[in-house]
């Protein structure tokens, strides 16, 4: 369930008569608990509560119904319950049907309310539904309530007005919804004079439909059209109040009470979709909410999915929290403004220059969605401007124009909401920093809002959206009805800051059209973009944009763009010689309001022209200055790691495993292995077969290994002959020449990379990002490594200590990149490039002992497999200690002590890599020509 669905379920629960026996189960159901879970709690099979009448769901919540008037006492009993602690409950809750109290046991935060007001506090319990709480939502659920009601209305209108759902008319429906949202907001904030003017007028003047013919629609659509027509018709003439335009337009008297709004929102057609009785009811229920408390950033994101048929089931999942947005905006330009404010102190001239600078800044989000980044940027700029005004005593009316906020978005409804969200943000800021009275006087008629455009950002020339304009400004009063200040320009170029969270799509997930988008975005015939992530298209366009403007850009992106093969292939083309990474946050978890979804690990990368800004790396809340930041986001390292066919360090080569290319006929399950043995297949022909899953999950799989078996011998065993013939048929039917040629040797694997007699150290091809160490293990002689893993053959055990180290993981995570969010291993990019100092015999012996310690710690946990041992938060203490000892030993070889963090590890590894590459090049150069 998403947050909107949970709110609706909680509202429905609170609206029904209180049932002491059923409340706990109804409450859990409202937060998306599965029927089987609730059924087990109801029967008592999983309910271990020790409080009378209690229901305890392990690792979640302890609920008890209290006697009348004893809610506080019952909550205390829940808190003191040994079962609450033993079951690791996150929440405790009790109610007597009159009042309700609860406590978040992790934070200690408590809440209390009347039972009927439970829907106002549902956000407090969102973690029960697997949704990380957002403070604004927890304290004020209006955004979710409003989204839910508008979603119901939208769906109902589409059902009853099929033509409005067509591609050519959907923008009109989206604009209609934006008009409704503005009217709801305006009637609750005093923009419309008269409490609830819009909703009450619709309720009074419209009649619900009846019957089955045209009369079933009633006249709601006609009433709304007249109201919109009124708001689009001016109430002035030559700057003075004058009713002639309304009279000439024949505006009805009941609609004439509404002010002139227009500003583009009510221009054009006023046609409205028809309303069934149900749709009219949804409309009026939406109007009953208190829209003045709307958060434009939260609401905009939540409503974004309403108009998207594919995303409507995921309402609220687009929300990006303010702290995450500020991780982009603060280092991009807000921190600099605050530093200038601090430096200005009470110097009036400096303060006014700062205000002038703020007024000239333009913010551009070329993947803006519903405008979160633009709204937060505007609000934070208003905060700084307000502090300037407080110190100077100047006119508090803002110099920051909404027309300085630009965006591109492919979905038309999101564009409407982004424009509207900026208007709402401006009005709320005016109320906060000037006064409600002046804010209401200035807001109408609506002036131009953010310049948000519908389109494919990778196909549009961004200079046509946000052209280079002046930044030196002189303020003067518009002398118009808004009372706002305007700015004059002296013709110099102004600062532009690009920001946002462009869409992520790996090269394998892109449509042909999206691949063409990326090609066009790079606009470089030498760039082979077939393997580029989709987001790199935004980087390419942004790099070209800031080359011709004053400013910088910063995007949220998946880690893949600064890891693995994409670094060498694309970053030199993006940065060239004139741009550099000016700040970065290499890796953090980025979450939204989606329930029970894996949080994406992302990075933030800021880029500017060379030498204009200090370089800063943000890591775990700390800022670290650097002389340069390389494309791997490692401080003071510009090195780019290329794939190598030969190892850089003095270690044995690692290879892919062997590929069967057999249609599965040479592979055996445990049961098939037993059948093979019972059928007379020699034990030497049946080998343990190891891929990543077998390595990490302890699965047992086998293969027929007939490389050295004479044909006359295996052909004499019916079980084997049948399998080999199946391989032959499979290869002959292949469309690939190489596979068909393998039909000559159907008993052999398609690609063979080992003799089958070696001692094997195997490394998984991919590994969960939740693991602190890479999956590696040692296997008996004769084991066969599949092409989904990598193998080291007949090497000493100290090799396992190297691969099982934190050092090796951070190197692989950085230079090899990711498969989705998982670490992707590579022998040519991860192993062959790994910089390892020359080891002494004593150091190898010590590392061998550490590897044995890791294996013994695992063995003590048998039958737990690597997945169970390493992905869990409860990694066994002995195993963790064994790895810590291994890390201590290896890292002392590098710097004489443990590294403080992964950033320091990478700095050393890149420094050593650069030294070894230089030494290798020097050696090659010194060799005489043959």
């Amino acid at each position: 369930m998403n947050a909107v669905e949970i709110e609706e379920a909680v509202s429905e629960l609170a609206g029904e008569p209180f049932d002491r026996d059923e409340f706990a189960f109804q409450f859990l159901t409202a937060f998306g608990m599965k029927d089987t879970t609730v059924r087990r709690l109801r029967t008592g099979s999983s309910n271990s509560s020790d409080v009378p009448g209690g229901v305890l769901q392990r690792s979640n919540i302890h609920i008890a119904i209290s006697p009348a008037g004893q809610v506080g006492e019952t909550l205390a009993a829940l808190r003191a319950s040994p079962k609450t602690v033993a079951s690791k409950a996150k929440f405790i809750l009790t109610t007597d049907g009159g009042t309700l109290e609860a406590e978040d046991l992790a934070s200690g935060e408590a809440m209390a309310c009347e039972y009927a007001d439970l829907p106002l506090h549902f956000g407090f319990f969102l973690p029960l539904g697997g949704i990380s709480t957002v403070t604004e939502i927890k304290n004020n659920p209006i955004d979710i309530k409003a989204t839910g009601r508008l979603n119901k209305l939208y769906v109902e209108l589409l059902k009853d007005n099929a033509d409005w759902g067509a591609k050519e008319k959907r923008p009109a429906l989206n604009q209609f919804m934006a008009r409704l949202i503005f009217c709801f907001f305006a009637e609750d904030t005093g923009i419309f004079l008269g409490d609830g003017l819009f909703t009450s007028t619709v309720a009074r003047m419209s009649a619900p439909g009846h019957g089955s013919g045209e009369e079933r629609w009633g006249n709601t659509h006609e009433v709304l059209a007249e109201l919109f027509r009124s708001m689009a018709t001016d109430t002035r003439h030559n700057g003075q109040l004058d009713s002639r335009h309304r009279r000439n337009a024949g505006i009805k008297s009941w609609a004439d009470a509404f002010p002139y709004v227009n500003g583009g929102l009510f221009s054009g057609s006023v046609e409205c979709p028809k309303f069934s009785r149900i749709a009219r009811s949804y409309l009026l229920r939406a109007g009953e909410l208190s829209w003045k408390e709307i958060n434009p950033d939260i609401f905009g994101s939540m409503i974004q999915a309403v108009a998207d048929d594919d995303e409507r089931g995921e309402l609220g999942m687009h929300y990006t929290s303010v702290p995450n947005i500020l991780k982009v905006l603060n280092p991009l330009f807000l921190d600099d403004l605050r530093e200038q404010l601090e430096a200005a102190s009470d110097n009036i001239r400096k303060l006014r220059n700062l205000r002038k600078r703020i007024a000239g800044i333009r913010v551009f989000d070329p993947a803006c969605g519903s405008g979160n980044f633009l709204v937060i940027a505007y609000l934070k700029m208003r905060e700084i401007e307000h502090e300037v005004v407080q110190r100077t005593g100047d006119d508090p009316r803002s110099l920051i124009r909404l027309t300085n906020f630009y965006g591109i978005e492919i979905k038309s409804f999101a564009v409407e909401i982004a424009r509207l969200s900026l208007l709402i943000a401006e009005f709320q800021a005016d109320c906060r920093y000037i006064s409600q009275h002046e804010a209401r006087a200035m807001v109408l008629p609506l002036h131009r809002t953010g310049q948000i455009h519908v389109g494919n950002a990778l196909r549009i020339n961004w200079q046509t959206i946000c052209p280079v304009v002046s930044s030196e400004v002189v303020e003067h009063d518009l002398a118009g009805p808004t009372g706002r200040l305007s700015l004059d320009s002296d013709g110099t170029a102004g600062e532009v800051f690009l920001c946002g969270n462009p869409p992520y799509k790996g090269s394998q997930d892109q449509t042909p059209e999206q691949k063409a988008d990326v090609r066009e975005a790079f606009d470089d015939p030498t760039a082979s973009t077939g393997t580029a992530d989709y987001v790199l298209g935004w980087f390419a366009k942004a790099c070209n944009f800031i080359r011709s403007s004053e400013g910088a850009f910063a995007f949220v992106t998946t880690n893949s763009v600064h890891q693995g093969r994409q670094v060498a292939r694309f970053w030199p083309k993006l940065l060239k010689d004139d741009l550099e990474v000016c700040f970065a946050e290499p890796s953090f978890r980025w979450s939204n309001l989606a329930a029970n979804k894996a949080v994406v690990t992302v990075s933030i990368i800021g880029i500017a022209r060379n030498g204009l800004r200090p370089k800063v790396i943000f890591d775990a809340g700390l800022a670290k200055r650097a002389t340069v930041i390389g494309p791997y986001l490692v401080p003071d390292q510009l090195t780019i790691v290329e794939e190598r066919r030969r190892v850089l360090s003095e270690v044995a080569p690692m290879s892919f495993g062997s590929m069967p290319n057999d249609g599965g006929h040479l592979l055996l399950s445990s049961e098939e292995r037993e059948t093979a043995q019972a059928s007379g297949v020699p034990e030497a022909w049946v080998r343990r077969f190891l891929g990543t899953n077998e390595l990490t999950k302890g699965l047992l799989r086998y293969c027929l290994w007939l490389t050295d078996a004479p044909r006359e011998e295996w052909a004499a065993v019916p079980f084997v002959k049948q399998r080999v013939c199946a391989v032959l048929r499979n290869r002959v039917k292949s469309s690939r020449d190489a596979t068909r040629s393998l039909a000559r040797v159907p008993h052999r694997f398609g690609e063979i990379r080992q003799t089958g007699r070696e001692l094997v150290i195997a490394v998984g091809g991919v590994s969960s990002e939740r693991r602190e160490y890479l999956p590696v293990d040692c296997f008996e002689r004769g084991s066969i490594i599949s092409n989904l893993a990598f193998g080291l053959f007949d090497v000493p055990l100290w090799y396992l200590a190297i691969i099982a180290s934190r050092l090796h993981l951070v190197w692989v995570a950085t230079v090899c990149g990711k498969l989705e969010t998982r670490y992707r291993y590579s022998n040519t990019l991860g192993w062959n490039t790994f910089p390892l100092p020359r080891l002494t015999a004593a150091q190898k012996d010590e590392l061998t002992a550490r590897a044995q310690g890791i294996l013994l710690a695992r063995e003590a946990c048998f039958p737990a497999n690597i997945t169970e041992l390493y992905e869990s938060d409860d990694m066994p203490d002995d195993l963790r200690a064994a790895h810590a000892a291994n890390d201590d030993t290896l890292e002392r070889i590098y710097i004489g002590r443990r590294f403080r963090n992964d950033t320091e590890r990478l700095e050393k590894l890149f420094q050593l890599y650069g030294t070894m590459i230089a030494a290798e090049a020097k050696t090659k150069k010194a060799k005489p020509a043959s």
Side-chain angles (χ1 to χ4, degrees):
M1 296 176 73
N2 58 50
V4 171
E5 292 167 330
I6 289 173
E7 186 279 326
E8 291 173 349
V10 173
S11 295
E12 185 177 345
L13 169 61
E16 296 174 351
F18 178 68
D19 186 330
R20 299 179 61 86
D21 297 328
E22 289 296 311
F23 170 78
F25 309 115
Q26 293 169 334
F27 182 86
L28 291 171
T29 300
F31 281 87
M33 301 305 153
K34 295 179 180 178
D35 291 342
T36 52
T37 301
V38 174
R39 192 179 309 118
R40 290 171 60 205
L41 288 169
R42 191 189 297 274
T43 60
S45 63
S46 65
N47 179 15
S48 57
S49 175
D50 55 357
V51 176
V55 173
L56 172 57
Q57 184 188 18
R58 184 174 181 80
S59 301
N60 220 17
I61 189 170
H62 199 173
I63 304 173
I65 307 302
S66 81
Q70 296 183 33
V71 170
E73 293 85 344
T74 305
L75 191 71
L78 288 169
R79 191 183 301 112
S81 161
K83 291 293 187 180
T84 297
V85 177
S87 297
K88 299 180 180 180
K90 299 185 183 79
F91 291 87
I92 52 176
L93 179 153
T94 183
T95 180
D96 60 1
T99 60
L100 182 145
E101 292 187 21
E103 186 175 327
D104 181 333
L105 296 175
S107 67
E109 186 178 356
M111 62 84 61
C113 67
E114 296 298 312
Y115 179 80
D117 292 335
L118 175 59
L120 298 177
H121 301 274
F122 84 97
F124 184 83
F125 302 102
L126 279 177
L128 297 176
I131 299 173
S132 299
T133 51
V134 176
T135 302
E136 295 87 348
I137 290 176
K138 183 190 293 187
N139 298 333
N140 178 31
I142 175 61
D143 306 287
I144 288 178
K145 283 179 171 289
T147 302
R149 297 192 186 185
L150 289 177
N151 180 59
K152 285 184 175 180
L153 174 60
Y154 197 95
V155 171
E156 193 67 22
L157 290 175
L158 279 178
K159 187 175 76 174
D160 294 332
N161 299 268
D163 57 323
W164 285 72
K167 182 178 180 180
E168 59 274 8
K169 202 158 185 180
R170 188 65 76 91
L173 180 59
N174 296 339
Q175 185 184 43
F176 169 77
M177 295 297 293
R179 288 171 174 175
L180 287 183
I181 293 167
F182 173 80
C183 290
F184 291 142
F185 180 77
E187 70 175 347
D188 282 352
T189 53
I191 295 174
F192 291 167
L193 298 179
D195 189 32
L197 177 65
F198 177 73
T199 302
S200 63
T201 301
V202 173
R204 185 177 75 254
M205 300 308 302
S206 68
H210 60 276
S212 58
E214 278 301 307
E215 63 275 10
R216 72 184 185 278
W217 305 121
N219 69 334
T220 304
H221 61 294
E222 295 170 348
V223 170
L224 290 171
E226 184 65 10
L227 293 178
F228 293 168
R229 196 165 70 93
S230 173
M231 288 180 248
T233 306
D234 208 339
T235 56
R236 305 161 303 166
H237 183 69
N238 293 332
Q240 302 296 318
L241 286 175
D242 192 314
S243 63
R244 70 179 67 187
H245 300 298
R246 291 276 176 101
R247 289 200 310 272
N248 292 340
I251 301 297
K252 292 182 169 55
S253 59
W254 50 266
D256 196 32
F258 286 80
Y260 172 53
V261 178
N262 210 332
L265 184 60
F266 290 92
S267 59
S269 172
V270 295
E271 181 188 7
C272 300
K274 294 178 180 178
F275 281 69
S276 65
R277 293 178 70 92
I278 295 174
R280 179 177 179 273
S281 175
Y282 287 154
L283 174 70
L284 297 178
R285 296 296 78 76
E288 292 171 355
L289 297 174
S290 178
W291 288 76
K292 63 184 176 183
E293 302 301 330
I294 209 80
N295 291 292
D297 61 308
I298 297 176
F299 175 71
S301 289
M302 299 200 68
I303 202 69
Q304 181 177 339
V306 165
D308 193 311
D309 297 336
D310 296 328
E311 297 181 8
R312 196 172 295 123
E314 300 184 344
L315 295 174
M317 293 189 185
H318 297 276
Y319 178 64
T320 301
S321 69
V322 173
N324 275 346
I325 291 175
L326 290 178
K327 287 183 177 183
V328 176
L329 298 179
N330 280 339
L332 181 61
F333 71 98
L334 291 177
D335 283 344
D336 185 45
L337 295 180
R338 295 186 186 105
E339 288 172 10
Q340 193 174 340
L341 175 64
E342 183 69 21
S345 186
D346 293 325
N347 185 305
I348 301 299
R349 180 183 60 81
K350 290 183 178 178
L351 289 168
R352 285 176 174 161
N353 283 339
L354 172 59
R355 191 181 187 192
K356 186 183 295 185
R357 180 190 171 194
I358 295 171
I361 286 173
R362 290 173 297 150
V363 184
F364 180 16
D365 183 348
C368 70
S370 54
N372 296 50
F373 281 80
L374 300 178
V375 166
I376 298 304
Y378 174 80
L379 292 174
K380 294 302 176 182
M381 290 168 69
R382 284 294 300 267
E383 283 182 11
I384 299 169
E385 183 191 37
H386 175 66
E387 181 59 32
V388 171
V389 168
Q390 291 291 96
R391 298 184 190 182
T392 60
D394 289 342
D395 191 327
R397 291 176 295 173
S398 180
L399 296 180
I400 302 170
R401 299 169 295 174
L402 294 186
T403 49
N404 275 2
F405 294 81
Y406 299 80
I408 304 173
E409 169 55 38
I410 202 163
K411 297 177 180 178
S412 63
F413 188 47
V415 168
E416 295 285 354
I417 297 304
R419 293 170 180 160
L420 184 56
S421 294
L422 280 167
L423 284 170
I424 292 173
E426 181 185 62
F427 177 78
Q428 290 177 335
D430 285 342
C431 289
R432 186 177 307 121
Y433 299 131
I434 307 174
S435 74
Q436 288 224 354
H437 176 75
E438 286 198 56
R440 290 167 184 157
M442 291 193 299
V443 69
L444 295 180
L446 295 179
H447 51 285
R448 290 180 66 196
T449 183
Q451 302 192 55
I452 320 295
H453 298 261
V454 180
N456 181 338
L458 298 188
R459 300 279 185 160
I460 293 174
N461 181 348
W462 291 3
Q463 292 282 1
T464 65
I465 302 296
C466 181
V468 175
V469 295
S470 62
S471 63
E472 289 296 320
V473 293
V474 179
E475 66 181 75
H476 66 86
D477 200 308
L478 280 171
T482 67
R484 292 195 177 277
L485 300 174
S486 186
L487 307 166
D488 282 336
S489 156
D490 74 345
T492 59
E495 295 173 284
V496 184
F497 296 106
L498 289 80
C499 58
N501 184 7
Y504 321 130
K505 276 209 174 185
S507 60
Q508 301 299 316
D509 299 324
Q510 294 167 28
T511 65
E513 292 76 15
Q514 288 167 333
K515 285 191 174 294
D517 290 344
V518 177
R519 271 198 309 276
E520 181 158 326
F522 267 82
D523 192 26
D524 180 354
T526 68
S528 178
T529 60
T531 60
D533 280 1
Y534 198 45
V535 70
L536 279 175
W538 272 262
F539 276 85
K541 299 276 284 189
C543 285
N544 287 334
F545 184 91
I546 65 170
R547 285 188 169 96
S548 58
S549 66
E550 292 184 20
F553 76 86
F555 292 144
V556 181
T557 175
T558 49
N559 290 351
S560 57
V561 306
H562 60 85
Q563 296 170 346
R565 294 170 175 83
Q566 297 205 77
V567 173
R569 290 174 183 171
F570 301 113
W571 279 97
K573 295 181 182 298
L574 291 171
L575 299 180
K576 299 182 180 176
D577 296 324
D578 55 343
L579 300 181
E580 63 183 0
V581 178
C582 56
F583 72 88
E585 183 153 356
S587 186
F588 67 98
R589 292 166 80 77
W590 179 279
S591 58
N592 54 26
L593 293 182
N596 298 315
K597 276 201 167 186
V599 217
V600 181
T601 301
V602 300
S603 301
I604 292 170
I605 302 176
I607 292 176
R609 282 186 285 176
N610 285 349
L612 295 182
R613 299 164 63 109
K615 267 64 76 179
V616 183
I617 290 276
F618 298 90
D619 188 12
L622 300 176
K624 179 180 179 179
R625 287 293 181 101
T627 54
V628 294
I629 300 174
Y632 294 107
L633 308 188
V634 176
D636 304 324
Q637 288 293 335
L638 292 175
T639 303
I640 291 178
V641 179
E642 302 272 4
E643 289 184 275
R644 294 176 58 92
R645 296 300 165 193
R646 299 178 63 184
V647 290
L648 175 65
S649 305
E650 294 182 354
V651 291
M654 177 188 290
S655 72
F656 262 124
S658 300
M659 180 186 293
N661 201 348
D662 64 332
H665 301 294
L666 294 177
L667 305 184
L668 307 173
S669 65
S670 295
E671 293 78 10
E672 288 170 326
R673 176 202 184 203
E674 293 177 3
T675 302
Q677 291 175 331
S679 302
V681 179
E683 188 174 336
W685 294 358
V686 179
R687 304 295 185 88
R688 179 89 183 269
F689 187 65
L690 298 161
T692 297
N693 279 337
E694 289 74 27
L695 170 64
T696 58
K697 298 178 182 177
L699 303 178
L700 292 176
R701 201 155 62 126
Y702 302 87
C703 68
L704 290 174
W705 188 254
L706 307 170
T707 305
D708 299 326
R711 176 184 178 86
E712 59 272 16
E713 291 186 19
W714 62 254
V717 182
F719 180 94
V720 175
K721 184 177 181 181
Q722 181 183 9
R723 291 277 181 150
V724 171
C725 288
V727 174
L728 174 65
R729 290 192 295 270
N730 183 77
R731 290 177 178 174
V732 165
K733 290 189 289 188
S734 174
S735 59
R736 296 179 67 244
D737 291 341
T739 302
R740 287 197 301 274
S741 69
L742 291 173
R744 296 180 290 102
V745 284
H747 64 296
R748 296 167 59 96
F749 272 39
E751 295 178 10
I752 299 173
R753 296 188 174 89
Q754 63 183 109
T755 66
R757 295 183 290 274
E758 308 94 338
L759 182 74
V760 174
I761 290 180
V763 187
V766 293
S767 176
S768 168
E769 75 282 3
R770 295 188 295 276
R771 295 190 188 119
E772 297 178 43
Y773 300 96
L774 292 170
V776 57
D777 208 345
C778 186
F779 295 92
E780 68 274 8
R781 293 185 183 278
S783 299
I784 305 301
I785 305 298
S786 90
N787 58 297
L788 299 179
F790 296 87
L792 288 161
F793 305 109
D794 284 334
V795 297
L797 192 57
W798 60 261
Y799 276 76
L800 187 143
I802 303 297
I803 298 169
S805 69
R806 182 72 188 173
L807 266 173
H808 195 56
L809 180 138
V810 297
W811 180 258
V812 167
T814 301
V815 304
C816 292
K818 299 281 185 71
L819 179 65
E820 298 166 340
T821 60
R822 295 167 292 164
Y823 301 124
R824 182 208 305 263
Y825 201 86
S826 164
N827 58 338
T828 57
L829 200 50
W831 178 251
N832 290 354
T833 65
F834 184 64
L836 180 69
R838 182 173 296 173
L839 301 177
T840 66
Q843 289 169 338
K844 291 177 181 177
D845 288 344
E846 194 173 1
L847 287 170
T848 298
R850 297 307 180 208
Q852 289 170 339
I854 292 171
L855 294 176
L856 287 171
R858 290 182 190 171
E859 189 176 330
C861 299
F862 182 83
N865 57 50
I866 285 178
T867 294
E868 294 164 338
L869 292 173
Y870 286 86
E871 285 197 33
S872 169
D873 292 334
D874 301 321
M875 185 175 174
D877 291 340
D878 288 351
L879 181 58
R880 189 177 294 279
H883 274 284
N886 184 58
D887 287 337
D888 185 76
T889 298
L890 181 61
E891 292 179 11
R892 286 181 184 279
I893 293 171
Y894 280 82
I895 60 171
R897 61 167 174 83
R898 286 291 296 272
F899 289 102
R900 296 183 181 90
N901 51 42
D902 288 346
T903 299
E904 193 178 41
R905 289 183 177 94
L906 284 172
E907 288 181 71
K908 180 60 181 177
L909 288 171
F910 272 103
Q911 178 267 321
L912 182 57
Y913 173 83
T915 300
M916 295 174 73
I917 287 290
E920 182 183 64
K922 188 175 180 181
T923 300
K924 287 181 179 178
K925 189 175 181 181
K927 283 184 178 180
S930 55

